[in-house]
Amino acid sequence: MSAPHRPAARWWALGVLSLVELIVTLDVTIVTIALPQAQAELGLSDGHRQWIVTAYALTFGALLLLGGRVADYWGRKRAFMLGMVGFGAASAWGGLAQSGTELIAARGFQGLFAALLAPAALAMLTVTFTHGRERNIAFAVFGTIAGSGAAVGLVLGGVLTEFASWRWCLLVNVVFVVAGLIGGKLHLTESKAEGDNRYDIWGTLTVTLGLGALVYGFTLAEAGWGRSDTIGFLALGVVLLAVFVRIQTRVAEPLLPLRVLLHPVRGGAFLVQAVVGSIMIGSMLYLTFHFQIVMGMSPLMSGLANVSMTAVIMFLVPLVTKILNTYGPRPLMIVGPLFSAAGLFHLAGITPEGSYLNQVLPALVLLGIGLSMLFIPLQNLALTGVEPQDAGVASATVNSTFHIGGSIGLALFTVLYHSTMESSLHSGNAQSAAYTDGYSATFIASAIAMIAASLISALLIRGTKSELMPQYEEEDTVVPAA
């Protein structure tokens, strides 16, 4: 079926689809603010605490490509409606969870249904607004909401946790889902992709189980890298991912065609995006803990304290867009991670007695400057030299690598945090000093990862501006920010 033709119907559809993008984006961060309360109420250890974030990010990232294919072949509106129902049910389950295991499982199911929702929403946006000024406006609105979703999640999570309960950080999704279902029923029309509709089930299973085993193995490393279970799960993850690569070379309709990954520019962009994900989902979680556990901030103040970085990013987006159009993505991709690294090194200097204005705010400003240089170029670089039939999977891979990088990064940073904190305690330091020592170690590791991202950009992202940037018609296409 075709997209809605009446102008009013199209704009109502944009509102519904933008609401969905806001839900799946803010759910990465909304629970972050609530973690200290949820951990205390459910009796979670620090090691298990991270899985409340990881379960969502890992399933979302690992299943995003399959979700896009399901939406294209089964029907985008149908996938959208099922995804909304499933996401709402998983959110209600998580909000009512009576144990850490229940909450982690619910977050995993949230990620599963988000992986169906997100690509369905973007695909319907694409077929609803096909060209011209309206398309530019629609993608600008959609991209702005995607870019601001993390900040909305932090503030909303702070408000709900402080004035209601951490459980409402999940239960509030039910309200959004009801609005989305009503809007979807009234204003969205069905559409499907033409052609073969075979699914790469074995590829999906091997990559999902492989990534899960790898992340779980890193989690077990907290008790020792030489333990048999640690080595076993890490080895299993590597083997399953190797099998996944093998499958992608042999099936007719691979989940992730290797030609998308093996292009040096795109491969470099995906690696940088994985590093960015590890910072945004992984190490920045510990800044929230520093605010609440060490500095004694309320959940609301903690959420507001985090927003300064997002505000810098949003403020600089127009300037970064002009620089991108003038000089191309390569300078931004090299310099941006260095700004971020400087901010993270500054953040590593936190102390129990330090103030937000001196120790944190300058770091968040530097991080905002650096990340603003990365978000927009990354979307463009994902489509460099890509064949038309691979454009969707290449764009989705950017989002997948962000969440997968966040999952792996969080597991590794958790191990580093615990080992550093335990060492500090054994040295006779106070609990608050041990906490900040652990947080500082994660920020130093994050800064080193950002320097590595700059080197990756310098080595792999080569070419002139016209070679690196897809040739979009100015009036017809706008690529939304990550």
Side-chain angles (χ1 to χ4, degrees):
M1 296 178 64
S2 61
H5 294 289
R6 291 181 294 110
R10 285 200 297 272
W11 296 116
W12 277 110
L14 173 62
V16 174
L17 298 174
S18 297
L19 174 66
V20 171
E21 182 65 16
L22 177 64
I23 293 171
V24 298
T25 304
L26 69 81
D27 250 72
V28 178
T29 57
I30 192 171
V31 175
T32 300
I33 301 297
L35 276 182
Q37 280 195 14
Q39 180 183 10
E41 183 174 327
L42 299 178
L44 286 166
S45 68
D46 286 351
H48 288 143
R49 174 184 64 188
Q50 64 141 324
W51 279 96
I52 298 175
V53 176
T54 300
Y56 180 82
L58 183 59
T59 53
F60 188 15
L63 296 175
L64 191 59
L65 294 173
L66 178 65
R69 289 200 181 275
V70 171
D72 285 341
Y73 295 150
W74 190 49
R76 289 152 185 156
K77 180 177 179 179
R78 187 181 299 175
F80 174 92
M81 300 298 278
L82 175 62
M84 289 294 279
V85 171
F87 193 86
S91 298
W93 181 22
L96 300 173
Q98 298 302 306
S99 70
T101 301
E102 277 190 75
L103 179 55
I104 291 168
R107 289 285 286 168
F109 277 102
Q110 276 189 305
L112 185 155
F113 287 106
L116 194 60
L117 271 176
L122 183 58
M124 282 192 286
L125 186 73
T126 302
V127 299
T128 300
F129 296 90
T130 56
H131 63 278
R133 182 172 177 271
E134 286 188 350
R135 181 182 175 92
N136 284 350
I137 294 172
F139 272 99
V141 170
F142 193 81
T144 300
I145 290 174
S148 60
V152 173
L154 290 168
V155 175
L156 183 59
V159 171
L160 293 173
T161 302
E162 183 161 347
F163 298 109
S165 164
W166 67 266
R167 295 181 179 278
W168 278 100
C169 293
L170 294 162
L171 293 174
V172 71
N173 288 328
V174 178
V175 179
F176 292 138
V177 164
V178 170
L181 286 171
I182 295 172
K185 180 69 175 177
L186 294 176
H187 302 296
L188 300 180
T189 59
E190 187 61 278
S191 64
K192 294 182 181 180
E194 301 295 332
D196 198 356
N197 61 356
R198 286 178 290 180
Y199 299 104
D200 182 10
I201 300 300
W202 287 110
T204 302
L205 287 174
T206 51
V207 71
T208 304
L209 294 176
L211 289 168
L214 203 62
V215 171
Y216 188 61
F218 286 133
T219 303
L220 293 175
E222 178 188 338
W225 288 97
R227 287 166 50 104
S228 59
D229 52 355
T230 302
I231 296 172
F233 274 101
L234 290 176
L236 177 63
V238 171
V239 169
L240 286 171
L241 292 176
V243 172
F244 167 72
V245 171
R246 177 67 172 169
I247 290 172
Q248 299 311 285
T249 65
R250 299 179 67 85
V251 297
E253 296 290 334
L255 182 69
L256 178 56
L258 295 185
R259 59 181 176 271
V260 172
L261 293 178
L262 296 179
H263 187 283
V265 172
R266 290 197 301 270
F270 296 148
L271 287 173
V272 172
Q273 181 74 321
V275 173
V276 172
S278 74
I279 307 307
M280 296 294 290
I281 297 176
S283 71
M284 296 310 290
L285 177 65
Y286 289 99
L287 182 58
T288 298
F289 295 154
H290 177 66
F291 287 154
Q292 294 190 49
I293 297 172
V294 177
M295 298 185 71
M297 288 186 180
S298 67
L300 176 57
M301 289 305 299
S302 176
L304 292 172
N306 272 295
V307 169
S308 54
M309 180 177 72
T310 306
V312 171
I313 293 173
M314 300 300 291
F315 177 77
L316 290 177
V317 161
L319 175 61
V320 171
T321 302
K322 291 182 180 180
I323 295 173
L324 177 66
N325 291 334
T326 303
Y327 298 103
R330 189 168 189 266
L332 293 169
M333 294 292 294
I334 294 173
V335 176
L338 298 179
F339 270 99
S340 298
L344 289 162
F345 275 126
H346 184 89
L347 203 55
I350 56 174
T351 62
E353 303 81 16
S355 70
Y356 174 81
L357 290 178
N358 292 330
Q359 293 189 350
V360 179
L361 183 59
L364 292 181
V365 171
L366 287 169
L367 267 168
I369 294 171
L371 292 172
S372 70
M373 296 182 182
L374 294 174
F375 285 152
I376 297 176
L378 280 169
Q379 290 289 333
N380 284 276
L381 291 170
L383 300 177
T384 299
V386 74
E387 296 296 328
Q389 69 269 22
D390 292 330
V393 71
S395 182
T397 302
V398 177
N399 292 323
S400 293
T401 52
F402 178 87
H403 292 283
I404 291 168
S407 302
I408 295 174
L410 180 53
L412 290 171
F413 291 140
T414 298
V415 174
L416 179 60
Y417 159 74
H418 274 289
S419 62
T420 306
M421 184 190 68
E422 292 295 332
S423 177
S424 181
L425 286 174
H426 290 156
S427 299
N429 290 327
Q431 186 77 52
S432 59
Y435 283 147
T436 55
D437 286 344
Y439 304 152
S440 295
T442 66
F443 298 139
I444 291 172
S446 301
I448 294 171
M450 274 297 185
I451 293 173
S454 179
L455 294 174
I456 290 170
S457 298
L459 291 172
L460 296 181
I461 299 175
R462 293 179 173 272
T464 64
K465 181 182 74 170
S466 60
E467 291 171 340
L468 291 175
M469 293 179 64
Q471 298 304 301
Y472 296 111
E473 293 183 14
E474 184 176 351
E475 275 298 307
D476 287 345
T477 306
V478 172
V479 179

